[in-house]
Amino acid sequence: MGFRSSMMVAAALAAAVSFGAVAAPMSGNPILPGWYADPEAAVFGKTYWIFPTSSRPYAEQTAFDAFSSPDLVQWTRHPGVLKIEAVSWAKEALWAPSVVEKDGKYYFFFSANDIKNDSEVGGIGVAVADRPEGPYRDLLGKPLIGSFHNGAQPIDQFVFKDDDGTWYMLYGGWKHANIVRLKDDFTGIVPLSDGTLYKEITPAPEYVEGSLMFKRGGRYYYMWSEGGWGEPDYSVAYAIADAPTGPFKRIGRILQQDPAVATSAGHHSLIHAPDDDSWYIVYHRRPLGRTGRNERATAIDRMEFDAQGHILPVKMTHEGVPAHPLP
């Protein structure tokens, strides 16, 4: 059955009987035991995956765990899928995974070392494995992006595949965001259609970090986090454009603190169930009464759209979402 938090168990039991009828079990929130942040969610085959940051002081962020589930309710922990010993240039502060599958291999993009300038070693790396649960090994022996461009700190990368097969990576901290086009083997970047290598696409002055992109109805949705990740007002906003390179104009926030549930809700990812149009937002938040910067837990809730394709405000819950086995 794997690892489940006590809150998950309680929520599942509470949902077992409803007006005399058996109801679908609920995931409960948080869905992962312990302090985990920056969750990257993915579907590989018939399994849901979450690859989070281990939310600890930077010097202790030296490995990534992963979690798998057949139904969004039962989660199994896979410890140490990528360890710092496998990355010769990384010293600390491993965070913000982005994991994709290509040609039977799994590529694990990550941030390391929290560099502050171009003289420091660190930035965005990529590792590879034969299975989602690893073990992953460094692909390049150096950062994929290890310096500042357009003012963007090289962190919080998200890898996006367009319908034409083109792979893009969006990234950036310090209130600046870039988009790059990846080589087909993920060993470097190539110019975008306008000839630029690092194109700034910062969508709004409120942008801070945590870029994400998806496509729906022929349009490109760009999402990001605003506010300070250690503060209660951390939140998620979005924009829409007709091309992955924008231009993007902020539409508004869709996820933010709820005084009745949790604070500091941000740095999210999405799951689009392959058998219907169900969308789930997977994010971290800070439980009520907790103020420590690293006291962050991973949660999941439904994300829905209106008739015009705008994202509706997400309601944070303690119950989470019902079981959704993959077909």
Side-chain angles (χ1 to χ4, degrees):
M1 198 170 197
F3 282 72
R4 296 196 301 174
S5 70
S6 59
M7 291 185 69
M8 283 174 53
V9 175
L13 291 174
V17 178
S18 176
F19 300 104
V22 176
M26 301 290 287
S27 68
N29 273 326
I31 54 171
L32 306 182
W35 300 128
Y36 288 100
D38 314 333
E40 162 79 348
V43 175
F44 297 134
K46 294 186 177 182
T47 304
Y48 298 101
W49 287 86
I50 294 178
F51 302 86
T53 297
S54 294
S55 189
R56 302 172 181 173
Y58 289 172
E60 299 175 21
Q61 284 183 196
T62 56
F64 291 103
D65 297 336
F67 296 81
S68 62
S69 173
D71 59 4
L72 298 178
V73 171
Q74 304 176 64
W75 291 92
T76 298
R77 177 175 174 254
H78 306 269
V81 299
L82 173 59
K83 298 180 179 180
I84 204 163
E85 292 81 5
V87 185
S88 62
W89 52 271
K91 305 302 180 185
E92 64 174 8
L94 296 180
W95 74 53
S98 182
V99 185
V100 299
E101 185 274 334
K102 184 178 186 295
D103 300 331
K105 298 283 188 180
Y106 296 86
Y107 294 86
F108 193 119
F109 296 79
F110 60 93
S111 304
N113 296 355
D114 187 30
I115 64 172
K116 306 297 193 301
N117 55 64
D118 290 349
S119 66
E120 296 180 293
V121 176
I124 297 170
V126 56
V128 63
D130 297 321
R131 303 179 301 169
E133 63 268 37
Y136 288 86
R137 60 190 184 277
D138 190 15
L139 181 66
L140 304 177
K142 62 180 181 179
L144 174 66
I145 297 179
S147 57
F148 286 68
H149 300 274
N150 303 318
Q153 187 186 27
I155 63 166
D156 288 8
Q157 67 295 320
F158 179 79
V159 177
F160 168 74
K161 184 182 181 181
D162 207 349
D163 295 339
D164 63 0
T166 302
W167 290 90
Y168 297 98
M169 186 169 71
L170 300 87
Y171 74 91
W174 291 11
K175 302 182 75 69
H176 292 275
N178 290 331
I179 186 169
V180 298
R181 180 177 174 180
L182 294 170
K183 290 183 177 179
D184 289 340
D185 60 3
F186 300 146
T187 60
I189 64 174
V190 294
L192 296 161
S193 58
D194 65 359
T196 59
L197 280 176
Y198 299 90
K199 185 176 183 65
E200 182 165 10
I201 55 168
T202 306
E206 296 91 342
Y207 171 89
V208 174
E209 58 196 12
S211 289
L212 179 144
M213 181 173 285
F214 68 96
K215 194 173 184 180
R216 183 177 187 269
R219 296 187 296 175
Y220 297 84
Y221 290 70
Y222 183 20
M223 306 180 77
W224 63 90
S225 293
E226 301 179 347
W229 66 268
E231 303 301 323
D233 64 349
Y234 203 48
S235 57
V236 174
Y238 82 107
I240 301 175
D242 295 324
T245 53
F248 292 99
K249 183 178 180 180
R250 184 182 186 275
I251 294 175
R253 290 181 178 177
I254 58 94
L255 177 66
Q256 55 190 319
Q257 65 176 320
D258 183 337
V261 180
T263 66
S264 306
H267 204 131
H268 72 297
S269 59
L270 301 176
I271 294 173
H272 183 202
D275 57 333
D276 60 19
D277 199 35
S278 295
W279 291 78
Y280 303 94
I281 185 167
V282 184
Y283 60 99
H284 74 240
R285 65 196 199 187
R286 186 164 285 110
L288 296 180
R290 297 285 191 170
T291 58
R293 284 166 63 85
N294 293 307
E295 294 177 324
R296 298 174 293 173
T298 294
I300 184 171
D301 282 300
R302 290 292 300 268
M303 190 179 83
E304 298 178 315
F305 301 82
D306 67 16
Q308 289 72 45
H310 292 141
I311 302 173
L312 297 173
V314 172
K315 177 176 175 54
M316 287 199 295
T317 70
H318 293 301
E319 297 78 17
V321 299
H324 189 153
L326 289 165

